[in-house]
C-alpha cells in the first residue's frame, strides 16, 4: 500500500545535538511538507518542497534545515539552533497541479522528539 | 489572504448525542475547505473536503459539513457521537492553512 513513512517514531536528544527525522513516500507526490505540532497550537509549517532540489521556508523555519534530493524523500534536520525543539513533527505530501484531488494532504504517523 | 478559525478548543458531548464543531474562514477567493481528524500520537486523516461542488459534503464515519458562503462557515456535524470519535479535529482552508484544532471528548 502507498503511504508516508516517518522514522523514528520517538527520538530523544541532548541539548546541542542535531537530529534528522526521516520522511519517505511512495505515492509519487510532487509536494512534501513538514509541520510542527505543539499542544493547543495546531500545526505550523516548517518547510515545504514542490519539486526535487527545491524547497521553501514556512512560518517557523528558524533552527531547521531540509533537503529534497529525491522525489520520495524529504528529511528534516533539527539543529542545535532550534531553541525549543521538543514537539511532535508531521510530514505530509500531496499531488500538485490540476489533477483531481490535488489539494488533499496525506500525512505520516509523526515523530515525537524530546530534548533532555 | 486567507485564514481559518476554530471557535472551540474543546467540545464534550455524551455518546449518542449530536456533534457540532465550528469553523469560520476568510478568503479572498472561493476556497477549498477540509476537515481532518487526528487520534492521539497519530498522523492526520482526511474526513471530508469541499471544492465548490455541493455545499453539503459527506465524509467518513458519518460526519458531514455544510459550506455557507454568507456566514463564511464550514461547521462539522455528526448526528450521533460514538466513543471512537474522541480525537482532535482540524479545519483547513485551501490546502495548508490549519485551524488551531478542536479536541472532541465523548462522555459514556
Amino acid at each position: 500500500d502507498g503511504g508516508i513513512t516517518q522514522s523514528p517514531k520517538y527520538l530523544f536528544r541532548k541539548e546541542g545535538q542535531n537530529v534528522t527525522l526521516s520522511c519517505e513516500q511512495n505515492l509519487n507526490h510532487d509536494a512534501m511538507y513538514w509541520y510542527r505540532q505543539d499542544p493547543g497550537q495546531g500545526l505550523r509549517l516548517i518547510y515545504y518542497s514542490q519539486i526535487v532540489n527545491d524547497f521553501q521556508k514556512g512560518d517557523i523555519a528558524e533552527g531547521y534545515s531540509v533537503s529534497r534530493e529525491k522525489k520520495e524523500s524529504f528529511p528534516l534536520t533539527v539543529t542545535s539552533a532550534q531553541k525549543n525543539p521538543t514537539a511532535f513533527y508531521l510530514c505530509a505530501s500531496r499531488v500538485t497541479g490540476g489533477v483531481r484531488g490535488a489539494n488533499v494532504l496525506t500525512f505520516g504517523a509523526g515523530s515525537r522528539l524530546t530534548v533532555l | 489572504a486567507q485564514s481559518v478559525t476554530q471557535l472551540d478548543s474543546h467540545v464534550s458531548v455524551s455518546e449518542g448525542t449530536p456533534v457540532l464543531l465550528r469553523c469560520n474562514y476568510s478568503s479572498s477567493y472561493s476556497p477549498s475547505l477540509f476537515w481532518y481528524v487526528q487520534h492521539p500520537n497519530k498522523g492526520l486523516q482526511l474526513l471530508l473536503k469541499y471544492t465548490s461542488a455541493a455545499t453539503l459534503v459527506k465524509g467518513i464515519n458519518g460526519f458531514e459539513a455544510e459550506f455557507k458562503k454568507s456566514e463564511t462557515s464550514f461547521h462539522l456535524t455528526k448526528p450521533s457521537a460514538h466513543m471512537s470519535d474522541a480525537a482532535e479535529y482540524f479545519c483547513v482552508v485551501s490546502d495548508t492553512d490549519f485551524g488551531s484544532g478542536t479536541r472532541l471528548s465523548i462522555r459514556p
Side-chain angles (χ1 to χ4, degrees), chain A residues 9 35 37 42 103 105 108 112, chain B residues 36 38 41 43 90 95-96 100:
Chain A
K9 188 170 178 63
Y35 293 90
Q37 186 176 24
N103 295 339
L105 288 164
R112 185 166 296 282
Chain B
Y36 288 85
Q38 183 184 31
N41 294 311
F90 292 94
D95 301 332
T96 57
S100 56

Side-chain angles (χ1 to χ4, degrees), chain B residues 4-74:
Chain B
V4 59
T5 302
Q6 291 184 242
L7 299 166
D8 307 292
S9 60
H10 181 215
V11 170
S12 179
V13 302
S14 297
E15 189 175 18
T17 64
V19 174
L20 170 64
L21 305 183
R22 297 183 293 166
C23 173
N24 285 99
Y25 71 92
S26 66
S27 179
S28 54
Y29 54 90
S30 182
S32 296
L33 293 160
F34 308 80
W35 277 98
Y36 288 85
V37 60
Q38 183 184 31
H39 289 92
N41 294 311
K42 302 288 187 183
L44 278 69
Q45 178 186 15
L46 180 72
L47 271 179
L48 49 82
K49 62 181 279 190
Y50 165 78
T51 54
S52 74
T55 56
L56 182 63
V57 183
K58 294 188 183 299
I60 62 172
N61 301 335
F63 284 94
E64 61 183 36
E66 186 172 8
F67 174 73
K68 292 186 177 181
K69 186 175 181 179
S70 61
E71 299 176 9
T72 61
S73 70
F74 191 57

Side-chain angles (χ1 to χ4, degrees), chain A residues 28-41:
Chain A
N28 200 33
H29 285 175
D30 297 302
M32 298 186 73
Y33 302 80
W34 273 106
Y35 293 90
R36 171 181 171 137
Q37 186 176 24
D38 296 281
Q41 295 193 40

Side-chain angles (χ1 to χ4, degrees), chain A residues 24-95:
Chain A
E24 302 279 333
Q25 54 100 357
N26 60 2
L27 300 165
N28 200 33
H29 285 175
D30 297 302
M32 298 186 73
Y33 302 80
W34 273 106
Y35 293 90
R36 171 181 171 137
Q37 186 176 24
D38 296 281
Q41 295 193 40
L43 274 68
R44 292 184 289 169
L45 183 63
I46 305 172
Y47 268 99
Y48 65 100
S49 168
Q50 303 275 50
I51 196 169
V52 174
N53 292 321
D54 188 41
F55 48 82
Q56 286 78 42
K57 293 182 179 180
D59 300 321
I60 55 164
E62 184 175 353
Y64 299 98
S65 66
V66 293
S67 63
R68 188 85 187 275
E69 297 177 359
K70 300 185 300 181
K71 188 176 185 177
E72 302 79 16
S73 179
F74 191 43
L76 173 74
T77 297
V78 184
T79 75
S80 57
Q82 169 51 236
K83 298 304 179 187
N84 185 23
T86 295
F88 191 53
Y89 292 88
L90 285 160
C91 180
S93 71
R94 68 181 180 99
V95 176

